[in-house]
Amino acid sequence: MSKVKRWLKCGVIVVLTVGLIGALPLEGQAGTKKPNLSASILNIAHRGASGYAPEHTIPAYALGQKMKGDYIEIDLQMTKDGHLIAMHDETVDRTTNGTGRVKDMTLAEIKKLDAGSWFNEKYPALANPAYVGLKVSTLEEVIHRFGRNARYYIETKAPEVYPGMEEELLRVLKRTGLINGRGRTNKVIIQSFSQESLLKVHQLNPRIPLVQLLWYETAGTAQITDEEIKNIKRYAVGVGPNYDKIDQAYVSKVRQAGLEIHPYTVNEPSEMKKLIRWGVTGMFTNYPDRLHRVLREVQKD
C-alpha cells in the first residue's frame, strides 16, 4: 500500500471519490513527523459557498456543505478582547454595516453588526431576506454549529496584528474536540501567508497539517525553487498559490517534491478542468457545486 493510501485510511480527509484514501506522515525538521494530505482533489468552499451567500456566515458555510464542499474555509481575525471571528478583512467595513478595525472592537460590539445585508445590496439577483441581520460568528460558534464531523480549513489572517492568535486557535480546536488528547486532528488544516505563523503553530503542535499560502504577481511565470520547497516541507504538507499565476510545470514540480497543491480561487469550470489535468490535489472555489459537477464529469471520463 502506498504512503498516500495508508495515511488517509485513518480518515483524514473526505474526498469526492468512493471511499477514503490517504498518506502516512512525512519526516519533518529534526525528525518530527508531520501529516501529509491526499493526492485526491479536495473541494474547498472558499469562505463558504460565497458565490451564493454572504461570505463567512452560517448560511454560506451550510450551503458549502450542501453543495458537496469537503472543507469549510474560515479566515480568522481577532477581537480586542481576544475572540477569534470568521472574517476575511482586518476591518468590518466591507462585509458589515459597521466601520473600524477588528482589533479595536470587542466581540460584543461586533455582534451588533449586520453581516448579511451588504450581500443583498451588492448582488440583488441573489438577495435573500434571511440574510438581513446575520451576525458575525466566532470560530467556536462555527465549530459548534457544524460539529466534529465537518472539516475546517482555517487561515490565520494578519497574525502579526494579533499576538497570541495561534495559541488561541489551538485552544479553541482542543476545547471543541477537533484536536484530541495526543494533539492529533483529522478534521483541520491550517493555512497562512505568514510563514512565521505556520512555524509557530508547528512548534506548538507538529501534528496539525499546514499549508503555506503563496502569492505571485505575473501570470504564467510563477516559480518555486528547490530551496523554497525544501524549507516548506520542514513544517507544511502543501502550498496554496493563486491559480491564475501558475502553470503545469509549477504544479508538476510541487507534486514531484511530495507536497500537496491547493490553488485559489477557481470559479470557472474550464479553469477547474485545466488544473485537474495539471495534477492539483485540491482547489478553493466560491462555487463548490460547480467543482463537484466537474469532478463527477472527470470521474466518468
Side-chain angles (χ1 to χ4, degrees):
M1 185 183 294
S2 70
K3 286 186 176 181
V4 172
K5 289 184 177 178
R6 275 181 280 176
W7 194 65
L8 275 193
K9 190 175 180 183
C10 297
V12 175
I13 295 173
V14 170
V15 295
L16 294 177
T17 54
V18 176
L20 295 174
I21 57 176
L24 278 174
L26 297 175
E27 289 297 322
Q29 191 174 19
T32 300
K33 290 186 177 181
K34 58 184 175 62
N36 192 13
L37 301 180
S38 169
S40 294
I41 299 166
L42 299 179
N43 184 345
I44 305 158
H46 182 241
R47 310 180 195 175
S50 55
Y52 299 105
E55 65 181 64
H56 290 313
T57 63
I58 296 300
Y61 295 146
L63 198 54
Q65 284 198 323
K66 185 177 180 181
M67 291 179 172
K68 307 300 183 181
D70 294 312
Y71 277 80
I72 296 171
E73 192 226 8
I74 307 173
D75 294 316
L76 295 181
Q77 305 289 340
M78 196 170 185
T79 66
K80 183 179 180 179
D81 48 348
H83 295 275
L84 296 176
I85 64 168
M87 185 170 289
H88 179 272
D89 299 356
E90 291 179 53
T91 69
V92 301
D93 300 43
R94 182 176 63 85
T95 56
T96 79
N97 62 339
T99 59
R101 294 172 66 85
V102 174
K103 75 179 187 68
D104 297 328
M105 304 175 73
T106 65
L107 180 61
E109 290 170 331
I110 287 175
K111 283 292 186 180
K112 295 177 182 178
L113 303 177
D114 179 337
S117 291
W118 71 271
F119 184 87
N120 289 349
E121 295 166 5
K122 188 172 182 179
Y123 305 105
L126 297 170
N128 186 331
Y131 298 159
V132 176
L134 287 175
K135 300 303 180 184
V136 175
S137 294
T138 67
L139 173 62
E140 200 155 357
E141 287 170 343
V142 175
I143 295 171
H144 283 311
R145 168 61 177 79
F146 294 97
R148 286 184 289 178
N149 289 327
R151 286 171 167 77
Y152 305 90
Y153 209 126
I154 300 171
E155 180 178 349
T156 57
K157 300 290 289 187
E160 66 281 358
V161 176
Y162 307 112
M165 170 180 268
E166 294 83 3
E167 289 89 345
E168 178 60 16
L169 171 55
L170 296 186
R171 279 194 292 268
V172 170
L173 295 179
K174 186 173 182 180
R175 191 161 60 238
T176 55
L178 290 178
I179 294 177
N180 67 23
R182 300 179 64 186
R184 298 186 182 278
T185 180
N186 61 4
K187 303 295 184 181
V188 176
I189 301 169
I190 296 175
Q191 63 176 344
S192 187
F193 284 101
S194 169
Q195 183 186 62
E196 183 179 352
S197 182
L198 292 180
L199 286 170
K200 188 173 183 180
V201 173
H202 186 66
Q203 182 180 25
L204 292 168
N205 186 341
R207 297 179 176 89
I208 298 176
L210 308 177
V211 169
Q212 178 68 62
L213 287 169
L214 301 167
W215 171 259
Y216 298 101
E217 293 289 343
T218 308
T221 60
Q223 295 186 9
I224 187 166
T225 66
D226 293 338
E227 186 62 28
E228 286 175 307
I229 288 175
K230 181 180 178 181
N231 184 39
I232 289 169
K233 288 184 70 174
R234 291 185 177 127
Y235 61 90
V237 301
V239 297
N242 42 334
Y243 87 92
D244 55 338
K245 303 301 190 292
I246 62 175
D247 57 18
Q248 187 168 8
Y250 184 102
V251 176
S252 296
K253 184 171 185 177
V254 170
R255 294 298 296 128
Q256 287 169 8
L259 287 172
E260 308 302 316
I261 180 167
H262 300 162
Y264 63 90
T265 301
V266 193
N267 292 326
E268 295 303 320
S270 60
E271 297 296 322
M272 294 172 181
K273 291 175 183 178
K274 180 176 70 175
L275 289 165
I276 291 168
R277 289 196 304 270
W278 287 358
V280 303
T281 57
M283 62 186 88
F284 293 82
T285 180
N286 298 339
Y287 303 94
D289 56 335
R290 294 181 187 176
L291 180 52
H292 179 65
R293 285 195 295 269
V294 167
L295 290 170
R296 290 185 66 182
E297 290 173 10
V298 169
Q299 290 166 8
K300 291 177 181 178
D301 291 343

